[in-house]
Amino acid sequence: MAAVHSIFDLSEHLFWDVNKADLDFEKSKEFIIHRVLEYGLMEDWELIKEIYGLETIKQTSLLFRELDAVTLSFLSAIFDIDKKEFRCYTHKTSMPSFWNS
């Protein structure tokens, strides 16, 4: 029998700005995955792998507009995908920052 997980199993600091009780693993999938990837602990990573599976995390993360450099490198290594395949990489390089313009 598969373990049933609750949103409250994820680290408290991930959802400082929202009511955690309003989050749903399916309806809030992109939001939850993004927060765990950028701010989560290893325990949070293990939990979303169990909930969503690596393929769902991969397909979801490929579409994110923003990921920090460390997260992008981690995902690139985990999924064995060139960073250029991620939307955030392409988006970032086409949008110069204010300080670099």
Side-chain angles (χ1 to χ4, degrees):
M1 185 168 150
V4 176
H5 296 290
S6 161
I7 194 70
F8 295 98
D9 294 336
L10 292 166
S11 295
E12 191 67 34
H13 71 274
L14 294 174
F15 308 107
W16 69 90
D17 58 341
V18 297
N19 183 351
K20 207 171 177 180
D22 291 340
L23 296 175
D24 175 87
F25 280 125
E26 195 52 41
K27 293 178 186 171
S28 309
K29 177 173 55 180
E30 291 85 6
F31 179 73
I32 293 168
I33 290 173
H34 192 265
R35 284 290 174 97
V36 169
L37 291 177
E38 292 231 308
Y39 306 111
L41 305 174
M42 208 55 176
E43 296 81 23
D44 300 315
W45 165 250
E46 294 298 331
L47 189 62
I48 66 164
K49 277 193 335 186
E50 191 175 319
I51 292 167
Y52 298 114
L54 285 174
E55 187 59 29
T56 298
I57 295 169
K58 176 178 137 183
Q59 294 306 319
T60 303
S61 64
L62 283 168
L63 300 175
F64 288 142
R65 288 179 176 267
E66 294 179 7
L67 284 172
D68 64 66
V70 173
T71 302
L72 180 59
S73 294
F74 174 76
L75 293 173
S76 176
I78 291 289
F79 298 129
D80 193 26
I81 299 174
D82 191 298
K83 291 178 187 178
K84 295 174 187 168
E85 298 296 316
F86 289 83
R87 181 180 185 189
C88 63
Y89 184 87
T90 312
H91 183 69
K92 183 171 88 171
T93 57
S94 67
M95 299 287 295
S97 82
F98 173 76
W99 301 109
N100 295 328
S101 56

